[in-house]
């Protein structure tokens, strides 16, 4: 097994062997690493099989690229919405994201919350 997240004392990609698997609703493992140390309570989501590690890294990079692309599109949409609002031409105040219509009141609430959190 290989770690996909850093944990104290072991960076992501460290190779280890599962010594004990426990848990019913929360799967966690005791892992023995190549340096002789053992770490308990490593979450199931923090490990991947060694043979699948390269595939996992490639898919994670693809997901991050997709998220960056969507964020860029949303930023572009926000810029366009600001320009249209300044010109006085609004499209009913709603925005469509991934086929879901977000009403203007929810957008305003989110904007106010961001403003509160940033101050």
């Amino acid at each position: 097994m290989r770690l996909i997240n850093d944990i104290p004392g072991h960076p992501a990609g460290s190779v280890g062997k599962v010594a004990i698997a426990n848990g019913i609703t929360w799967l966690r493992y005791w892992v023995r690493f190549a340096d002789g140390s053992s770490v308990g309570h490593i979450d199931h989501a923090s490990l991947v099989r060694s043979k699948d590690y390269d595939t996992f890294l490639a898919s994670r990079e693809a997901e991050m690229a997709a998220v960056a692309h969507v964020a860029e599109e949303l930023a572009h949409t926000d810029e366009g919405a600001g320009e249209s609002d300044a010109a006085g031409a609004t499209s009913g105040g709603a925005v469509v994201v991934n086929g879901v219509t977000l009403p203007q009141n929810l957008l305003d609430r989110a904007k106010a919350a961001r403003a509160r959190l940033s101050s």
Side-chain angles (χ1 to χ4, degrees), residues 82-118:
E83 292 169 3
S84 65
D85 289 344
T90 61
S91 60
V95 175
V96 177
V97 177
N98 292 336
V100 177
T101 303
L102 299 174
Q104 186 61 42
N105 66 331
L106 294 180
L107 296 171
D108 293 339
R109 285 172 55 188
K111 184 176 181 179
R114 284 192 301 275
R116 274 194 320 268
L117 292 173
S118 66

Side-chain angles (χ1 to χ4, degrees), residues 23-85:
I24 294 172
T25 58
W26 173 40
L27 299 177
R28 55 203 182 276
Y29 304 96
W30 280 83
V31 178
R32 292 189 184 133
F33 290 98
D35 65 359
S37 65
S38 293
V39 178
H41 300 296
I42 297 178
D43 187 54
H44 178 75
S46 295
L47 294 171
V48 68
R49 292 180 182 207
S50 295
K51 67 179 182 175
D52 298 331
Y53 186 70
D54 293 331
T55 304
F56 168 79
L57 289 179
S59 65
R60 182 163 65 176
E61 287 178 15
E63 287 176 14
M64 291 176 74
V67 167
H69 178 70
V70 169
E72 183 179 310
E73 286 182 357
L74 287 176
H76 180 68
T77 302
D78 289 344
E79 290 171 5
E83 292 169 3
S84 65
D85 289 344

